Amino acid sequence: MEPSSGSRDAGPAVTPVAAVLPAGGSGERLGGATPKQFCAVQGRPLVSYTVRAMERISWISNIIVVVSPENIETMKSIIEKYGHKRVVIVKGGITRHRSIFNGLKVFVENEFSNHLLQKPEVVIIHDAVRPFVEEDILSKVVMAAKEHGAAGAIRPLVSTVIASAADGCLDHSLERARYRASEMPQAFLFDIIYEAYQQCTDYDLDYGTECLHLALKYCKTNAKLVEGTADLWKV
């Protein structure tokens, strides 16, 4: 199981691009003592497949992997064992948004990096537990982000979404054709998403999950939605 990245010659080669991979989750829904990003699939940790999919793409300059403090040494050993390049490990926060924010800070705040990395024009945000990511969709969201400020992959809803009333009975259902599932990867002009995170409230950082919403809420940046392929699923 090795994700492919497509042709290395394609993509926005002239644009400085970095990737931030939040990998700090506890994997509670999967169960088990090991967070799913570190679970072995055919003998290799899941996060390693995702990192490899990114590092195969020559135009991604830096790959920031954000992990919880207790898993930093585990991530270091994975990088060493599998020879990953262009990877920087960052200590995550207690929530997804706080972890992503920490990943962005390595480009602009000395507190989070011994030496600041070159700030990218565009930053990709992609879950560490989504290993089947191709260069084609990454290139599409990056180019769309350059034009619109933000972009994200979407997929049609597989199931109808319903709302329940207070008594536990059906209240209403959504017209499935009008809605889409927000997927990864997403991409942003770095200055837009960093400004959005700087303006976030604690409530946003603690309970939010959607990065595209932050760009819209705080920077008035309406993301371009890019139709993704069926293999963008999250483990």
Side-chain angles (χ1 to χ4, degrees):
M1 171 179 139
E2 291 194 358
S4 142
S5 62
S7 168
R8 292 175 60 91
D9 297 327
V14 297
T15 299
V17 178
V20 173
L21 308 182
S26 60
E28 292 177 352
R29 286 172 294 185
L30 182 67
T34 303
K36 58 187 172 183
Q37 59 270 32
F38 300 114
C39 288
V41 179
Q42 294 186 351
R44 186 175 188 144
L46 183 61
V47 64
S48 178
Y49 289 104
T50 310
V51 170
R52 186 166 186 174
M54 294 288 175
E55 69 182 353
R56 283 177 168 178
I57 301 173
S58 59
W59 45 265
I60 295 179
S61 57
N62 296 108
I63 303 163
I64 313 301
V65 181
V66 190
V67 299
S68 57
E70 63 270 23
N71 289 315
I72 286 179
E73 292 305 315
T74 299
M75 192 65 217
K76 286 181 178 178
S77 67
I78 290 171
I79 291 172
E80 182 177 353
K81 180 176 181 179
Y82 295 100
H84 291 306
K85 307 297 183 185
R86 312 196 307 273
V87 177
V88 176
I89 301 172
V90 174
K91 182 171 69 174
I94 60 173
T95 64
R96 172 183 170 81
H97 273 329
R98 291 187 184 277
S99 291
I100 293 172
F101 194 12
N102 284 0
L104 298 173
K105 288 176 180 178
V106 301
F107 297 101
V108 289
E109 297 188 23
N110 287 313
E111 175 187 354
F112 282 81
S113 181
N114 293 330
H115 61 282
L116 293 182
L117 302 174
Q118 179 187 6
K119 189 177 77 171
E121 179 182 352
V122 175
V123 61
I124 296 166
I125 297 176
H126 186 71
D127 291 322
V129 291
R130 294 179 187 262
F132 302 107
V133 59
E134 300 282 350
E135 182 171 1
D136 181 61
I137 187 65
L138 289 166
S139 179
K140 285 178 179 177
V141 295
V142 166
M143 296 305 291
K146 283 188 66 176
E147 181 177 353
H148 298 275
I154 58 169
R155 290 289 299 153
L157 289 178
V158 175
S159 302
T160 299
V161 179
I162 63 173
S164 61
D167 61 1
C169 295
L170 175 67
D171 184 284
H172 66 278
S173 62
L174 299 180
E175 186 181 341
R176 189 171 62 185
R178 295 182 56 198
Y179 296 88
R180 293 292 183 270
S182 179
E183 303 287 354
M184 290 284 168
Q186 296 176 352
F188 304 84
L189 291 177
F190 181 89
D191 290 341
I192 284 177
I193 192 61
Y194 185 68
E195 179 184 344
Y197 271 105
Q198 285 181 304
Q199 296 185 54
C200 278
T201 64
D202 284 337
Y203 186 87
D204 291 319
L205 293 172
D206 289 337
Y207 298 104
T209 58
E210 180 55 75
C211 302
L212 298 178
H213 176 70
L214 297 182
L216 177 61
K217 181 178 180 180
Y218 292 108
C219 297
K220 304 295 187 291
T221 300
N222 201 350
K224 177 69 174 178
L225 303 179
V226 179
E227 196 71 35
T229 55
D231 55 7
L232 292 179
W233 49 270
K234 182 178 182 181
V235 175

